[in-house]
Each structure stands twice: as C-alpha cells, then as structure tokens.
Amino acid sequence: MWRNKNVWILLTGEFIAGLGLWLGIIGNLEFMQEKIPSDFLKSLLLAAGLLAGILVGPMAGRLTDQYSKKAVMLISGFVRIISVVFMLIAIQTGSVWWMLIFLVLLQISAAFYFPALQAAIPLVVSEKDLLQLNGIHMNVSTLSRIIGTAAAGILLVAIPLNAVYLLSMAAYIVLFGLTWFLQFDENKKASSVIKDGQKQGFKDVFPVIVKLPIVMMTLILTLIPLIFLGGFNLVVINISELQDSSAIKGWIYTAEGLAFMSGAFLIKRISYKFSPYKILFASSLLIGFSQLMLYFANQPFLTIIAFLMFGFSVGCFFPTAATIFQTRVPKDYHGRFFSFRNMMDRVFFQVVLLMTGFLLDAVGLQNMSVMFGALSIVMTAVFFIRSRNLRASAETEQSVS
C-alpha cells in the first residue's frame, strides 16, 4: 500500500486541506464571537451552510457515479478556493451576510468532494487494506486538526484575521494541485451508469441499503456520535466560558484529537478480536458516557477525561463504519450512497446544531449534556437489542431452510 503514489497524494492532500479547514473554522468562531452574541443565532448561521449542502446532495451523488471522481474533486476544490474570497469580504465589511455566502459555497463544495473521495478510496487500494487506510486517513485528518487549531490560536494573536483566511486559501490551492496527480482506474464502473438505455437515479440506492442489514444498522448508529459532534464547537466555547479559560479550548481539541488518533491507530488490532457490530456498539456506549461526564464541565480534569473518552470512541467507530460501507455497498452505487450518507449526516447535524444552540441558551451546558448522554445510551441499547433479534431471526431461518 505504501508504494502506491495515490495513497501518498490522498494523505498529503488531506493533511494540507485539514490545516486550511481548521484555520478557517477557528477563524469562523473568532468572527462569530465578535459579531453574534447568541449561541442560537450562531447555530442558525452554521445551519444555513449545511442546508445548502443537503439540497445539492442528490445531484452530487448522481454526478459522482456518472462522471470521473477526480473531475468532481477538482471542480469542488476550485469552488472551495473561491469561497474564501467571500469570507475576506465579510471581514473587510464586518457583514455576517458575506460570511453566509462563504459558508454556503464551502458546504456545497464539501457535498461534492467528500462522496467522491470516499468512492475513490476503494479504487486506490485493495479491500484488505481498506480498514488500515481509513484509519490512517482519519488520523492524518485529526493530526491536521490538532496542528491547525493550535496554529490558528497562535496566528490569531500574531496576524490579522484576514491573513489567517489567506493561509487557508493557500492550503486549498495546494490540495487542488495535488488532486491533478491522482491516477486510478474508473473504467470498471462505466457499464453501471446506463442500464436498459436509462441513467440510474439517486433513489436507486435505497433498495440496496434496505437489502443490506449491516449497512442499514451502521447508518443508524452513525447518528449517535453526531449528537456530540453536531454542537461540538458551541460546547467548547461554553466550556471555555464556564471555566473562564481560553486555554481549555486548546486542551480539549488536543486531547480529543490525540485520543481519536489512538483509536484509529489501534482499530486494526481491535478488529481481529471483536466483530464490527461489537466495536460500533461499545464505541456508541462510551460516547454516551462521555457526554454524561460533561455534567462536570466546570472541572478541567474531568472535562479532559470526557473528551479523551469521546475521541478514542469515535477513532474506533468511524474507520469501522467507513470500511463496512466501502466493502458491503456495491461500487456502482458508491457515489450515490456516500452522497446520501453525507446528506443524512448533514440533516441530523443541522438538527443537533440548532438544538444545541437552543438548549445552551435555555437549560445550560451541564443539563444539556445529561440529556444528550442519556439519549445516546438509550439509542444504543435499543439498536443493540434490535440487532440481536434480527440476527437471531436470520439464524432461525437458515436452520429451518
């Protein structure tokens, strides 16, 4: 795998793009803290960008399956570069509306880029290397987040906010250049684009999902970490305010990132001992407990422990889920499937984001954490019981036949 230049291009591109992304995200938080006092209004602004990504999701899925994945990645990368121009205008004018345009274009770009990337990964390496590559890819992404957030914190003190976004744009330009050098065979899927003289539609992916119980169950389980991730940045801001410490934000991102990397690094070994189902359910339970621990968010030590637990859990969860999707869903449907998953994540992310903003204003961080933690644990328990019943039914049918 390590002799494959496409692997190095993807990993290097992910690292550089991640630096640019997190410079921009920390810049967004800085801009919103200055311009928007309400957590709920902040969540509304972020949700508007997510909504734009959801609306273009079906088109993104069809085009990813119909045309070259590399071309889709290049065009979306160009849009991402252009989007930063509008954020620079927002900083210059002090207008939140220009930031809204920036967020909309950025999310539209992501709606095309990430399904194409997920569909391209199985074409780059063999199936036996997928779990390892997914884990390493997510580790590189996390490492870029750790370095990106730390660098952004330093740079925001040293240079103007618009210079931070210029560095973010430079990273996106480098990613665009690296994408040109990707080379993988997409001819195998050409026959699937046309069937009986007609193009396959986006809705064709749904019967495929229904026929694959492990894919359906994994899709549902991915909602549990999103309960935490949906309002992650708003939660971090509130913890910082609760503890009256700016430094805790950096410690939280670092602890969660390092724990995520540990989980993603060890997942290959863990998968030898436990089934994907056990890994997903155990990770979901730990995520719920980490949310409950944030009831003690006024204590720095317990806060860091909670984020360490959460980071390790999602570090095990997401590579396992990604590998299940890439190996169980037919490659002919990868573009539409990953686009649908992206849309589903964004819809739920948007709901959680709005709910988090509302609950932070209404009941406070600690009470909200208990509510979300209890919800995550109950959902995990319900899905676990249902999955056992489904597997028991399947085994009974096999023994009868």
Side-chain angles (χ1 to χ4, degrees), residues 267-339:
I267 188 58
K268 181 86 171 180
R269 296 180 182 179
I270 295 172
S271 67
Y272 292 141
K273 298 181 179 180
F274 303 100
S275 70
Y277 270 122
K278 289 182 179 178
I279 293 172
L280 294 178
F281 284 120
S283 299
S284 298
L285 273 178
L286 285 176
I287 289 167
F289 284 122
S290 68
Q291 288 173 305
L292 289 177
M293 284 187 67
L294 287 183
Y295 180 76
F296 305 102
N298 58 330
Q299 302 294 324
F301 177 75
L302 291 178
T303 300
I304 297 301
I305 294 297
F307 280 95
L308 284 171
M309 186 186 300
F310 173 73
F312 185 82
S313 302
V314 293
C316 294
F317 186 99
F318 283 122
T320 303
T323 304
I324 289 172
F325 295 146
Q326 290 165 349
T327 55
R328 300 301 178 91
V329 177
K331 287 186 172 61
D332 293 346
Y333 293 90
H334 273 184
R336 281 162 289 179
F337 173 80
F338 286 116
S339 182

Side-chain angles (χ1 to χ4, degrees), residues 28 31-32 36 39-51 96-101 103-104 353-354:
N28 291 347
F31 187 80
M32 286 191 295
I36 306 173
D39 288 316
F40 183 61
L41 291 177
K42 289 173 189 170
S43 66
L44 279 176
L45 182 63
L46 294 172
L50 291 173
L51 179 61
V96 174
W97 295 107
W98 286 109
M99 182 182 187
L100 176 61
I101 298 173
L103 291 173
V104 166
L353 181 61
L354 293 172

Side-chain angles (χ1 to χ4, degrees), residues 162-183:
N162 58 357
V164 174
Y165 280 99
L166 286 173
L167 290 174
S168 177
M169 179 188 282
Y172 295 151
I173 292 172
V174 173
L175 173 64
F176 182 81
L178 285 172
T179 305
W180 276 105
F181 294 99
L182 281 174
Q183 291 181 336

Side-chain angles (χ1 to χ4, degrees), residues 130-144:
L130 270 178
L131 182 60
Q132 184 180 11
L133 180 56
N134 282 321
I136 294 170
H137 186 265
M138 291 179 185
N139 267 344
V140 169
S141 176
T142 305
L143 183 62
S144 69

Side-chain angles (χ1 to χ4, degrees), residues 201-251:
F202 182 76
K203 294 180 181 179
D204 292 342
V205 74
F206 299 131
V208 176
I209 296 173
V210 172
K211 292 177 183 177
L212 299 168
I214 189 171
V215 173
M216 175 71 81
M217 186 61 66
T218 305
L219 271 175
I220 297 172
L221 283 174
T222 55
L223 299 180
I224 292 173
L226 291 182
I227 295 174
F228 201 131
L229 291 171
F232 193 93
N233 291 328
L234 293 178
V235 168
V236 171
I237 291 173
N238 270 262
I239 291 173
S240 176
E241 293 172 352
L242 184 67
Q243 298 184 15
D244 192 23
S245 169
S246 298
I248 193 65
K249 287 188 282 191
W251 284 109

Side-chain angles (χ1 to χ4, degrees), residues 48-60:
L50 291 173
L51 179 61
I54 293 166
L55 293 176
V56 301
M59 182 191 302

